[in-house]
């Protein structure tokens, strides 16, 4: 069976997952593409047909797929449709996020025929404390397009749906991680947590810079900022994605977490994207 249709689904508060997903779709060479942005609303979709290739891309928060992303995908269902599971992380570690996404999709009736881990600029990254700044860059996007081409090649060689072999994403190659910076990071995190120093729950706002334009309200994926009250963020709704920080045209918002310093210091080496087909 030839695949002539693709469906891209992504949860992408700071647009890194979106860009990776679009790169993969570009490489597929399929003209009939449907895109569903789950960042601000649930994916309310009919059952995905078996002749549609679905690409699902989500960020990694704390080594897991975001709970909010899983909620937005709760209504997904398929009957053996092929899928590509992709997670985007900020150059530290994705831990079990790819496995979580694969299990989630298989549970919804998809057949995960490929998986990938890509690096995107960390949510906490700033000009002063860069963490994978600028990624996905041109090299990353070319690798995303190459993944799309390889997926289509796998489908064509299979010849029929019976040949669409699912992959065990637990077997994906892990990126290189220098040992000393990793151990230093773990030690610093332990010290930080033992210090009892309170961690910020939400971004702070410089009221001298904020002009109440509402950009942060529009950027927030979980309605944690109320129009007209942009100086405050609802802690119980904030997922610390920093979309409001990166999207503020006046740079009035900041998320001053000590973890940003630790990440910037210990994860400077560029990690490579990994794929399994």
């Amino acid at each position: 069976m030839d695949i002539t249709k693709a469906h891209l689904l992504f949860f992408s508060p700071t647009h890194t997952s979106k860009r990776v997903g679009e790169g993969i779709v570009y490489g597929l060479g399929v003209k009939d593409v449907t895109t569903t942005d789950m960042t601000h609303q649930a994916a309310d979709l009919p059952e995905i047909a078996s002749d549609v290739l679905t690409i699902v891309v989500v960020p990694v928060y704390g080594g897991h797929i975001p709970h909010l992303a899983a909620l937005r995908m709760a209504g997904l269902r398929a009957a053996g449709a092929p899928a590509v599971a992709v997670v985007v992380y900020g150059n530290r570690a994705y831990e079990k996020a790819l496995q979580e996404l694969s299990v989630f999709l298989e549970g919804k009736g998809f057949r995960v025929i490929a998986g990938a881990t890509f690096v995107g600029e960390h949510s906490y990254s700033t000009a002063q404390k860069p963490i994978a700044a600028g990624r996905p860059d041109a090299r990353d996007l070319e690798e995303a397009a190459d993944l799309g081409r390889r997926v289509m090649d796998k489908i064509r060689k299979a010849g029929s749906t019976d040949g669409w072999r699912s992959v065990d994403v637990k077997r994906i190659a892990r990126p290189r991680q220098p040992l000393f910076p990793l151990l230093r990071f773990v030690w610093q995190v332990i010290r930080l947590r033992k210090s009892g120093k309170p961690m910020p729950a939400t971004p702070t706002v410089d009221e001298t810079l904020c002009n109440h334009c509402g950009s942060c309200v529009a950027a927030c994926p979980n309605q944690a900022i109320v129009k007209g009250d942009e100086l405050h963020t609802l802690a119980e709704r904030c997922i610390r994605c920093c979309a409001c920080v990166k999207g503020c045209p006046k740079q009035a918002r900041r998320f001053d977490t000590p973890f940003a310093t630790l990440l910037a210091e210990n994860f400077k080496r560029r990690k490579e994207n990994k794929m399994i087909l």
Side-chain angles (χ1 to χ4, degrees):
M1 177 188 292
D2 288 334
I3 292 291
T4 60
K5 300 177 183 178
H7 195 148
L8 171 63
L9 296 97
F10 58 81
F11 179 85
S12 189
T14 58
H15 312 299
T16 54
S17 297
K18 174 179 183 288
R19 293 175 61 207
V20 168
E22 290 174 340
I24 296 170
V25 168
Y26 177 79
L28 293 175
V30 175
K31 293 182 179 180
D32 190 349
V33 179
T34 300
T35 300
T36 299
D37 183 351
M38 304 176 294
T39 310
H40 296 95
Q41 59 186 11
D44 185 14
L45 301 168
E47 182 174 293
I48 305 295
S50 60
D51 63 344
V52 176
L53 173 63
T54 301
I55 301 94
V56 181
V57 192
V58 300
V60 177
Y61 293 164
H64 300 277
I65 63 172
H67 178 64
L68 186 57
L71 288 177
R72 298 271 163 84
M73 295 189 290
L76 281 182
R77 60 192 189 281
V84 180
V86 183
V87 297
V88 180
Y89 68 107
N91 208 50
R92 183 189 70 84
Y94 57 87
E95 298 180 30
K96 294 185 177 181
L98 182 61
Q99 184 180 347
E100 290 175 356
L101 181 58
S102 179
V103 169
F104 179 90
L105 293 175
E106 294 276 356
K108 295 295 182 179
F110 290 93
R111 189 182 304 184
V112 178
I113 65 169
T117 60
F118 277 79
V119 175
E121 181 172 319
H122 200 286
S123 298
Y124 298 167
S125 178
T126 64
Q128 296 75 31
K129 300 170 185 175
I131 313 162
R135 298 187 70 181
D137 55 22
R139 178 172 151 193
D140 295 315
L141 296 179
E142 177 51 41
E143 290 180 5
D146 184 60
L147 172 60
R149 289 187 284 268
R150 292 173 62 190
V151 168
M152 288 303 291
D153 188 53
K154 175 178 180 176
I155 290 173
R156 292 190 188 101
K157 288 180 178 178
S160 68
T161 57
D162 293 336
W164 291 349
R165 180 178 53 83
S166 297
V167 296
D168 180 1
V169 299
K170 295 192 298 295
R171 299 180 64 183
I172 194 170
R174 293 276 172 171
R176 292 182 181 179
Q177 171 60 58
L179 182 60
F180 178 70
L182 176 61
L183 294 176
R184 182 174 59 189
F185 174 75
V186 172
W187 176 71
Q188 290 172 332
V189 169
I190 291 172
R191 283 189 61 195
L192 185 62
R193 288 176 174 168
K194 284 185 175 181
S195 71
K197 181 179 179 180
M199 297 293 106
T202 62
T204 57
V205 185
D206 186 337
E207 58 184 295
T208 65
L209 295 176
C210 177
N211 64 356
H212 300 275
C213 69
S215 294
C216 56
V217 178
C220 180
N222 203 31
Q223 297 82 51
I225 310 168
V226 178
K227 179 65 177 174
D229 190 23
E230 290 85 358
L231 296 181
H232 301 96
T233 305
L234 302 174
E236 66 275 16
R237 298 195 69 91
C238 180
I239 63 171
R240 291 175 286 283
C241 65
C242 293
C244 63
V245 175
K246 294 182 182 294
C248 178
K250 297 294 183 180
Q251 298 183 325
R253 285 185 158 256
R254 296 168 56 99
F255 189 60
D256 293 319
T257 171
F259 282 102
T261 300
L262 303 189
L263 291 166
E265 289 178 347
N266 294 299
F267 299 99
K268 295 179 180 180
R269 178 179 292 186
R270 179 187 180 100
K271 283 195 171 68
E272 300 302 321
N273 309 308
K274 297 295 181 179
M275 302 144 201
I276 185 168
L277 292 94

